C-alpha cells in the first residue's frame, strides 16, 4: 500500500526501518505497539481515515470525547481575510496541532500547519500539514524536505492562505525556574514571519503533558516521543482551554528588526494569555 493511502500511522515495517533490531520480530513489535498505545493510534486513524483534513480532526476529537473551551471565539469568527499566520505554544506535541487545525480550519479549510516529519506519519492530516525536519538534520534528503517545506509555507501565505507555526519547534519542557514552558522560539520561523508581512494571531494552549512525559524528555527526546500516544489517550474525556488573541498587525511586526526581538515579542503576546479569567 502506498504511503499516501496508508491507513495506519505506524506498523511493523515502519518500526523495523526505524530500528533494524526489530527486523524479524513481529510479535515483539506487536507487544511494543500495544505497550505504547500505538495500536490505539492506528485504530483511531483508520476510523477517521476516509474524512481527511479538518473533518479528520473533528472525528478524532469526537472519538476521544475531547472538548474545547475557547476564550476569544470572536477572533476566530472574524479572522483576517487572505493570508495570515498563527503562532502557538506547544505544550502537548500532538493534541495541540490537532486542536489548532480544528479551531482555525473550521473557519478556513485552507489552513496549514508546519509540523515535524514524525507527525507527517498521520497521513489523514496531510491536507493541513507542511512537513519539515525540526532537528535540522545533516541528512541531505531530510534537509531537502525542510527547504521544500519552507518554500511551500511562503507560497501558502503569499497565495492568500493561512499558515500555523509552533515556533518552539519542539514540545514544551522544564525551564530553569522549574516551569513547563516553550524553549526559545526559533529565529528561522521569525525570519519567515518578517518576510511575509501579514497579520499574526497568537493562540495559547493551557496545560501540559504529564510529569512523566516531561522527565522522559530530560533523559532523551526519543523516550518522550515514544510516550506521545499514551499522553493523547490519557486525556480522553478532558476539556482543554484555549485562548485566542487579537491579530498583531504587520506594522507591529515590522517594528522588530531582529528575529530575536520578534520572537520575544510574539512569545510574550502568546504567554500573556496564560491566566484564565473566570
Amino acid at each position: 500500500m502506498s504511503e499516501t493511502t496508508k491507513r495506519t500511522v505506524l506498523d511493523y515495517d515502519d518500526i523495523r526501518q526505524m530500528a533494524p533490531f526489530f527486523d524479524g520480530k513481529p510479535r515483539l513489535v506487536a507487544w511494543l505497539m500495544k505497550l505504547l498505545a500505538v495500536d490505539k493510534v492506528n485504530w483511531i486513524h483508520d476510523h477517521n481515515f476516509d474524512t481527511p483534513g479538518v473533518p479528520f480532526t473533528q472525528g478524532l476529537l469526537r472519538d476521544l470525547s475531547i472538548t474545547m473551551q475557547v476564550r476569544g471565539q470572536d477572533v476566530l469568527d472574524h479572522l483576517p481575510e487572505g493570508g495570515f499566520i498563527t503562532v502557538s505554544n506547544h505544550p502537548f506535541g500532538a493534541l495541540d496541532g490537532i486542536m489548532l487545525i480544528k479551531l482555525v480550519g473550521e473557519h478556513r479549510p485552507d489552513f496549514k500547519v508546519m509540523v515535524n516529519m514524525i507527525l507527517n506519519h498521520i497521513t489523514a492530516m496531510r491536507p493541513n500539514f507542511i512537513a519539515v525536519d525540526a532537528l535540522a538534520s545533516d541528512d541531505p534528503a531530510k534537509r531537502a524536505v525542510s527547504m521544500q517545506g519552507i518554500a511551500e509555507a511562503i507560497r501558502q501565505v503569499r497565495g492568500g492562505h493561512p499558515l500555523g507555526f509552533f515556533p518552539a519547534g519542539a514540545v514544551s519542557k522544564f525551564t530553569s525556574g522549574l516551569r513547563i514552558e516553550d524553549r526559545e522560539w526559533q529565529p528561522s520561523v521569525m525570519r519567515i514571519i518578517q518576510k511575509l508581512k501579514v497579520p499574526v494571531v497568537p493562540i495559547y494552549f493551557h496545560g501540559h503533558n504529564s510529569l512523566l512525559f516531561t522527565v522522559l524528555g530530560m533523559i532523551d527526546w526519543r523516550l518522550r516521543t515514544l510516550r506521545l500516544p499514551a499522553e493523547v489517550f490519557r486525556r480522553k474525556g478532558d476539556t482543554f482551554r484555549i485562548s485566542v488573541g487579537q491579530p498583531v498587525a504587520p506594522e507591529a511586526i515590522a517594528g522588530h528588526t531582529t528575529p530575536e526581538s520578534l520572537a520575544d515579542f510574539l512569545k510574550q503576546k502568546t504567554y500573556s494569555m496564560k491566566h484564565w479569567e473566570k
Side-chain angles (χ1 to χ4, degrees), residues 10-17 22-26 29 33:
L10 286 175
D11 57 23
Y12 167 68
D13 287 333
D14 294 320
I15 291 175
R16 69 182 179 85
Q17 286 172 21
F22 291 107
D23 195 11
K25 303 180 178 73
V29 169
M33 290 172 66

Side-chain angles (χ1 to χ4, degrees), residues 28-185:
L28 178 59
V29 169
W31 174 82
L32 187 65
M33 290 172 66
K34 188 174 183 64
L35 177 70
L36 298 174
V38 175
D39 58 336
K40 294 180 181 178
V41 170
N42 284 337
W43 179 87
I44 206 166
H45 185 268
D46 178 72
H47 189 235
N48 296 288
F49 184 83
D50 296 319
T51 55
V54 176
F56 174 85
T57 65
Q58 294 168 330
L60 189 150
L61 293 174
R62 187 167 54 248
D63 283 346
L64 290 169
S65 300
I66 285 175
T67 55
M68 294 181 286
Q69 187 176 353
V70 180
R71 185 176 63 187
Q73 182 64 46
D74 57 317
V75 178
L76 293 173
D77 293 337
H78 302 91
L79 288 167
E81 295 183 2
F84 64 88
I85 289 168
T86 69
V87 292
S88 310
N89 63 320
H90 203 14
F92 304 118
L95 280 173
D96 36 22
I98 292 163
M99 291 187 289
L100 179 64
I101 288 172
K102 180 183 186 296
L103 279 177
V104 180
E106 285 181 342
H107 300 268
R108 292 288 301 271
D110 53 338
F111 179 57
K112 292 193 176 189
V113 178
M114 185 173 278
V115 301
N116 66 50
M117 287 190 280
I118 295 173
L119 289 183
N120 204 41
H121 281 283
I122 309 175
T123 56
M125 287 180 67
R126 284 188 185 167
N128 298 96
F129 277 173
I130 296 175
V132 296
D133 180 13
L135 298 177
S137 171
D138 291 332
D139 182 333
K142 291 182 179 179
R143 288 185 67 85
V145 169
S146 292
M147 294 305 295
Q148 292 169 8
I150 291 169
E152 183 183 349
I154 292 171
R155 287 195 302 272
Q156 167 82 359
V157 177
R158 287 185 171 166
H161 308 289
L163 173 68
F165 284 120
F166 290 99
V171 189
S172 302
K173 64 174 187 174
F174 271 128
T175 67
S176 56
L178 294 182
R179 297 187 307 274
I180 298 176
E181 190 175 300
D182 275 8
R183 60 202 73 206
E184 294 302 311
W185 283 12

